């Protein structure tokens, strides 16, 4: 959810159509990733007995949400708008996006280290591969943005906001 909101919000400050298209495509795809993860969680928890809930450490969540899907981090921190970034500067945003995709890939790597159920591992492997593709696509968007800038230092100004002035 955070990735989707991040990318779909950032597209408004992106001054280049190729970059807007990449942000829109990946932002939309991330909604499908949320659906995949929510489905996995639902399938793993829907038939738990109260005893299994307690034994698994799922008790505090269960007390608040039963087995309803309520987005939160693995550590129990609930999702909120602080989970995504939109600075309004395409260079800053794209570098943040690339880092976010690498962090997601690392999270999927960690899941694959501790899960053995093929019904969970297979979709997690798929999601991991998509994070790699997203990282590459954001790299393309960064290159497009840099190629459109009339500067030797890409990181010194905001191409969606700063304009050339006659001041020296």
């Amino acid at each position: 959810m955070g990735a989707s909101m991040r990318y779909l919000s950032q597209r408004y400050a992106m001054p280049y159509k190729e970059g807007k298209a990449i942000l829109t495509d990946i932002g939309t795809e991330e909604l499908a990733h949320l659906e995949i993860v929510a489905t996995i969680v639902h399938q793993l928890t829907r038939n738990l007995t109260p005893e299994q809930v307690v034994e698994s450490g799922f008790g505090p969540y269960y007390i608040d949400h039963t087995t309803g899907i309520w987005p939160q981090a693995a550590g129990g921190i609930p999702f909120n708008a602080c989970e995504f970034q939109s600075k309004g500067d395409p260079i800053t945003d794209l570098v943040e996006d690339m880092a976010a995709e690498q962090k997601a890939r690392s999270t999927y790597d960690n899941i694959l280290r501790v899960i053995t159920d093929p019904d969970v591992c297979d979709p997690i492997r798929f999601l991991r591969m998509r994070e790699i593709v997203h990282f590459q696509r954001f790299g393309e968007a960064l290159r497009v943005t840099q190629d459109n800038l009339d500067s030797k230092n890409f990181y010194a100004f905001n191409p969606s906001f700063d304009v050339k002035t006659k001041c020296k």
Side-chain angles (χ1 to χ4, degrees):
M1 185 180 325
S4 179
M5 292 301 300
R6 173 187 299 122
Y7 308 147
L8 293 175
S9 296
Q10 290 172 354
R11 68 189 173 155
Y12 295 103
M14 174 56 71
Y16 311 112
K17 65 181 181 182
E18 299 93 338
K20 282 182 193 220
I22 289 170
L23 287 163
T24 301
D25 289 349
I26 297 173
T28 303
E29 183 180 336
E30 290 291 352
L31 289 172
H33 294 187
L34 173 64
E35 193 273 335
I36 292 169
V37 171
T39 299
I40 291 169
V41 172
H42 172 71
Q43 290 172 340
L44 291 172
T45 61
R46 69 178 167 210
N47 295 321
L48 292 177
T49 66
E51 294 78 22
Q52 290 171 319
V53 166
V54 172
E55 289 169 10
S56 70
F58 193 53
Y61 180 97
Y62 178 84
I63 289 168
D64 285 342
H65 309 286
T66 318
T67 57
I69 302 301
W70 189 68
Q72 66 180 40
I77 299 168
F79 175 81
N80 65 55
C82 294
E83 303 298 320
F84 64 93
Q85 296 295 320
S86 181
K87 191 69 170 172
D89 179 327
I91 298 289
T92 302
D93 286 344
L94 290 168
V95 171
E96 161 74 22
D97 298 345
M98 292 173 74
E101 294 297 326
Q102 286 297 83
K103 289 186 278 185
R105 183 205 40 83
S106 294
T107 297
Y108 291 135
D109 285 343
N110 292 340
I111 291 170
L112 291 169
R113 287 183 184 102
V114 299
I115 301 297
T116 58
D117 181 343
D119 290 336
V120 174
C121 291
D122 290 345
I124 295 298
R125 280 190 198 94
F126 168 79
L127 293 172
R128 181 188 179 282
M129 293 299 297
R130 295 308 300 159
E131 303 306 341
I132 294 167
V133 170
H134 294 171
F135 179 84
Q136 293 168 336
R137 300 266 334 268
F138 285 132
E140 293 169 20
L142 182 59
R143 175 55 46 209
V144 165
T145 301
Q146 291 170 333
D147 288 348
N148 279 287
L149 297 179
D150 184 21
S151 173
K152 291 181 182 176
N153 185 353
F154 302 124
Y155 308 104
F157 64 95
N158 179 345
S160 70
F161 187 77
D162 293 331
V163 295
K164 289 184 180 182
T165 64
K166 295 181 182 179
C167 293
K168 292 185 180 188

